[in-house]
Amino acid sequence: SGDNIFFWAGEALGWRGLRSGTWLFEAAVAYEEGREESDSDDGRLDGLGDEDDEFELVLQARRAFDADWRYWLDGRVVVTEDNGSLGLLAVGRRFGDQKDGTGHEIAIAAVFHDSDYANNDFGIDAEQSANSGLEETDLDGGFRSVGFNYNYRHYIDKNWQIFGEVVYEHYSSDVQDSPIAREDYEAEVGIGFIYVF
């Protein structure tokens, strides 16, 4: 609707709006499923208990350096109900001549979390340590990771888009030292479809 988009994406409902040609704002409420012991097929999470599902608020602001949106700076904050917050700062570049959001885009990001968010993901308290046999781990807030993101969007027809993305996140040494972090990094590849009403 004009410079505003209202969207439903997976388990998130939100709004995105363009302002002054070079500012993009976004607000969304998302449902985040908690980690379960059964998420690990080889039993590495046994004894840590299941985490509760929760809602989180996502706020984002992106500033383009020019009207073509070739280069941009991005800031994002995720605030959870009970498990702290996470922040992200990124710089990105868009390729191609399109001005409709399609084409290739890359970004590099630095990610930060507070101690509640860090320990919810990677901490092990005394009870969990006793139940699992894993070393008790208490993380401080601060730098979490540096990441790389590539995504591609293409219109199949007037209403349908296909998109793909590759995400790589390299953890800080504090996160790497947690027994829950099996690798020094996390990587994923995704593909999906968007329908524009």
Side-chain angles (χ1 to χ4, degrees):
S1 174
D3 289 333
N4 299 283
I5 294 175
F6 302 91
F7 63 89
W8 169 54
E11 297 177 322
L13 185 65
W15 160 85
R16 185 177 298 133
L18 182 67
R19 298 294 181 267
S20 303
T22 56
W23 280 98
L24 183 70
F25 296 99
E26 180 176 318
V29 176
Y31 179 75
E32 181 69 21
E33 296 181 15
R35 185 186 68 216
E36 298 181 359
E37 289 187 4
S38 59
D39 289 342
S40 177
D41 296 333
D42 55 10
R44 287 178 175 261
L45 298 176
D46 289 353
L48 297 182
D50 296 339
E51 295 180 352
D52 294 333
D53 301 342
E54 66 176 350
F55 286 96
E56 58 185 28
L57 175 66
V58 182
L59 302 174
Q60 179 176 345
R62 180 174 291 190
R63 172 69 161 91
F65 294 121
D66 56 45
D68 289 336
W69 282 83
R70 291 283 174 229
Y71 297 92
W72 46 261
L73 185 66
D74 187 75
R76 185 180 312 165
V77 176
V78 178
V79 180
T80 68
E81 286 183 279
D82 301 311
N83 295 315
S85 56
L86 174 142
L88 177 147
L89 290 173
V91 61
R93 187 186 194 286
R94 186 178 64 86
F95 299 87
D97 297 327
Q98 306 94 326
K99 295 185 178 179
D100 59 0
T102 62
H104 305 270
E105 186 176 82
I106 61 171
I108 298 173
V111 185
F112 304 86
H113 53 197
D114 64 16
S115 59
D116 288 337
Y117 202 100
N119 284 298
N120 182 65
D121 285 349
F122 299 105
I124 300 172
D125 62 25
E127 181 180 355
Q128 290 173 322
S129 178
N131 292 336
S132 67
L134 299 174
E135 182 180 352
E136 188 173 347
T137 304
D138 183 36
L139 282 77
D140 295 326
F143 177 66
R144 175 188 177 99
S145 62
V146 61
F148 170 83
N149 176 274
Y150 164 81
N151 66 62
Y152 174 75
R153 291 185 185 222
H154 176 73
Y155 269 104
I156 301 172
D157 63 21
K158 180 181 177 182
N159 297 99
W160 282 98
Q161 282 186 15
I162 185 172
F163 74 90
E165 70 174 353
V166 177
V167 179
Y168 175 83
E169 183 179 10
H170 191 82
Y171 293 132
S172 68
S173 57
D174 288 346
V175 173
Q176 291 177 21
D177 290 341
S178 168
I180 296 176
R182 297 175 59 181
E183 303 287 349
D184 296 344
Y185 66 89
E186 181 178 348
E188 60 184 49
V189 176
I191 188 170
F193 295 90
I194 298 173
Y195 182 77
V196 181
F197 292 93

